[in-house]
Amino acid sequence: MPHHTPLIATIVAGLVAAFILGALAQRLRLSPLVGYLLAGVIVGPFTPGYVADQKIANELAEIGVILLMFGVGLHFSLKDLLAVRKIAVPGALAQMAVATILGIGLSAMLDWPLISGLVFGLALSVASTVVLLRALQERRLVQTERGKIAVGWLIVEDLAMVLALVMLPALAGAMKAGQGASDPLTAWGVPLGLTLLKVSGFVAFMLIVARRAVPWLLHYVAHTGSRELFRLAVFAIALGVAFGAAMLFGVSFALGAFFAGMILAESELSHRAAEETLPLRDAFAVLFFVSVGMLFNPFVVLANPLTVLAVLAIVIVGKSLAAYAILKLFKRSDTTAITVAASLAQIGEFSFILAGLGVDLDILPREGRDLILAGAIISIMLNPLIFAFATRAPKAVPEPAAPVPVIPEPEPANDLLPTSLSGHSVVVGYGRVGQALAAGLKAQGTPFVLVEAEPEFAAKAGEQGYEVIIGSAVETRVLEAAGVLRAARMYVAVADGFECGGVVDHARKANAGLEIIARAHSDAEAAHLIAHGADRVVMGEAEIARGMLEGEPGFEGAAPPAAPSAAEVVEFVPGAPRMLILDDAERAVLAAVRSFDIWPGEAISWAAVHEAAVLGGFDGERLNHASETLRRKDCLRDLDQDRITLTKQGFLAALQPAAA
């Protein structure tokens, strides 16, 4: 069997180039999409060096489109849309109309036919879901009013583009049939009517049959207990519905995948389905963006600089001004209007899909696709700068007070509303353990605040009336919002013990007196948590065994061996006194380590520690000997040839007062 095939080479080259350039884009604080698109340019036919197989890349991109649209359907939220429907629906449609008209005007200047201008304008009218959500999430704006309007606006745009993808093939067919036909009405009406009939049949089938069959199938597979079979079932549903929609009803893969996601979203297992399929969806999405980049001729920017600038003007200026004016007509504040307008000043994945379909149907010239791709790459690169400037602008020019008797409170800068509690408990994670903890604390009347990173779980906690901080507990601003500096206790209920370690570490650094209780699944996880500052670790297996033994004759509260507590870790020899006996050199080494603000588990160069202790007046050889004895006492540990770390025992020993 040959080790080099076009399929393997295309996948490897695409993913490796995408990883390198995506990481570089992330480093430069740009969207990774820019890196993925440029990776496609590098392995494409318009640049020197290796050229990937375009046909294979396009087929992989089709799978990417299916999984992208499946993800859009899976996360489609009718509730979010209805919450802002009075603004988002008319606003998004009006903004898309303005951008489409501007695109048609530019295409007329380029002597393109009207149908080409329509496709071109539509492609410039819709923003990238990935870029918009990332911009809002980085600034904690998703749960604010302006964030909800922007998300609702995006949902309307996505639905409009799904409809455009359905109607475009029929429109292209009708246009070709109508050229020179004796009865243009029949020539246009029959193809469009058949398309609407097929789409209606597909929608009816999905709502009547699939809406019952798909959740039942997913629940059946989930009850088998096989994780891989569940994952396979989700992919089979996504790909099977998309392919069946194209073969049986003649509609696009995109529409079939979108409806498959929408139907699956109604199941209670939708969150698990999204989580299980995310890695493969991301991989094929990356290949989709790489394949799009392969189609881009970068020399179009040099050949048509004024046209590219005109495209950017439509995307960045035209769309933004339209959105701003529409929101002001709805009497929204400058802050809201500017934020939404800035978030829409880019184009992305739907534009690529529409442009590719237009070229395949011979209704959009290849030059149009190149201009769309150039506009997308440049607008995505500029969007972080535009968004940062726009979200700061209202602070420099405050809005005049409205002439009304009651002035509403200003909208918060982000969705991290700090708690007013003090001496309270902080619960991190609202999974099964977190839910039980919250219910128990509520029953006891203990004040607490929840920290949850997943919006779905945060919404569930909010429905119970709990105070919730949405975000990751390893972020300093999230911990500050949860009042960790004033808190008395923290319960870390995250399932992954090693992930808990980062939460414990940041919380301990923020509040040295905070009592931290964490959960673990193994001795290694328990030791990791203790080393990072947990006061007590509870192992689920040990607690289950305790409960099972309670009815056993002769069992009087004795428990199976549990995870070690902080006090037990300090005692490095069973039965030995807890206070370690340290000489001056050993204390000097520990003091030198702590002078770098090193906590248990963090790395430090031994050369740096040695130099700091020598400057304190100690002999180098004696310090080397002291470091060896500290290793034997389990106060220091080697990480590699040059780096060491401080154990929890060493940290506590460094705090001991010197012997009199």
Side-chain angles (χ1 to χ4, degrees), residues 325-583:
I326 291 165
L327 284 164
K328 292 303 290 181
L329 284 175
F330 280 97
K331 300 184 179 180
R332 285 302 186 271
S333 67
D334 278 344
T335 301
T336 298
I338 291 174
T339 300
V340 175
S343 67
L344 297 170
Q346 37 79 20
I347 55 176
E349 53 272 12
F350 265 118
S351 304
F352 307 148
I353 298 172
L354 190 64
L357 181 61
V359 172
D360 291 341
L361 295 171
D362 293 326
I363 57 176
L364 179 70
R366 293 182 182 275
E367 181 189 358
R369 181 180 61 193
D370 288 338
L371 291 172
I372 291 169
L373 293 175
I377 292 173
I378 299 172
S379 67
I380 292 173
M381 291 177 67
L382 294 177
N383 191 252
L385 299 176
I386 296 170
F387 203 91
F389 174 77
T391 51
R392 284 198 302 264
K395 299 178 183 177
V397 184
E399 298 181 41
V404 291
V406 179
I407 301 175
E409 292 185 7
E411 185 184 349
N414 54 48
D415 57 5
L416 280 178
L417 303 178
T419 183
S420 60
L421 296 175
S422 182
H424 59 291
S425 295
V426 178
V427 178
V428 179
Y430 195 63
R432 288 181 298 176
V433 174
Q435 291 172 27
L437 278 169
L441 291 172
K442 182 180 180 180
Q444 294 175 1
T446 303
F448 68 94
V449 62
L450 278 162
V451 177
E452 175 55 61
E454 292 293 334
E456 293 88 348
F457 287 102
K460 186 184 296 185
E463 291 172 0
Q464 296 295 322
Y466 300 144
E467 183 177 2
V468 187
I469 304 295
I470 303 177
S472 172
V474 296
E475 294 184 30
T476 301
R477 56 183 180 175
V478 172
L479 289 176
E480 290 175 351
V484 74
L485 292 173
R486 307 183 303 274
R489 187 175 292 104
M490 172 181 277
Y491 298 96
V492 187
V494 180
D496 189 332
F498 293 102
E499 182 183 343
C500 284
V503 177
V504 170
D505 185 57
H506 283 77
R508 178 61 67 208
K509 289 179 180 178
N511 185 349
L514 181 69
E515 182 183 359
I516 302 177
I517 299 97
R519 63 179 290 197
H521 293 288
S522 66
D523 292 337
E525 288 185 358
H528 177 77
L529 290 166
I530 292 296
H532 280 76
D535 294 291
R536 185 158 58 90
V537 177
V538 178
M539 286 180 60
E541 290 80 358
E543 295 304 313
I544 291 172
R546 186 200 305 273
M548 294 175 74
L549 287 171
E550 281 182 353
E552 193 72 19
F555 180 77
E556 298 178 356
S565 66
E568 290 167 342
V569 171
V570 173
E571 187 177 357
F572 68 96
V573 178
R578 297 184 186 277
M579 186 74 75
L580 293 177
I581 300 175
L582 303 174
D583 62 23

Side-chain angles (χ1 to χ4, degrees), residues 34 161 209 232 252 479 570 635:
V34 175
M161 293 306 290
V209 179
L232 184 61
S252 65
L479 289 176
V570 173
C635 292

Side-chain angles (χ1 to χ4, degrees), residues 121-167:
L122 278 173
L124 299 182
S125 70
V126 60
S128 166
T129 304
V130 177
V131 177
L132 185 146
L133 287 177
R134 174 174 173 168
L136 295 175
Q137 287 168 350
E138 283 183 346
R139 290 161 181 82
R140 310 297 309 178
L141 296 174
V142 175
Q143 300 300 319
T144 62
E145 183 199 23
R146 43 188 163 155
K148 291 177 180 178
I149 291 174
V151 172
W153 201 290
L154 191 68
I155 291 172
V156 176
E157 289 190 348
D158 287 352
L159 289 175
M161 293 306 290
V162 169
L163 183 61
L165 292 174
V166 171
M167 297 303 299

Side-chain angles (χ1 to χ4, degrees), residues 266-305:
E266 296 183 5
S267 169
E268 295 176 356
L269 296 168
S270 60
H271 181 73
R272 181 183 169 190
E275 191 176 79
E276 292 283 355
T277 59
L278 185 60
L280 194 59
R281 282 194 288 127
D282 283 348
F284 274 101
V286 168
L287 290 174
F288 164 70
F289 291 119
V290 171
S291 71
V292 169
M294 290 175 64
L295 301 172
F296 175 56
N297 183 0
F299 298 103
V300 73
V301 179
L302 301 176
N304 305 287

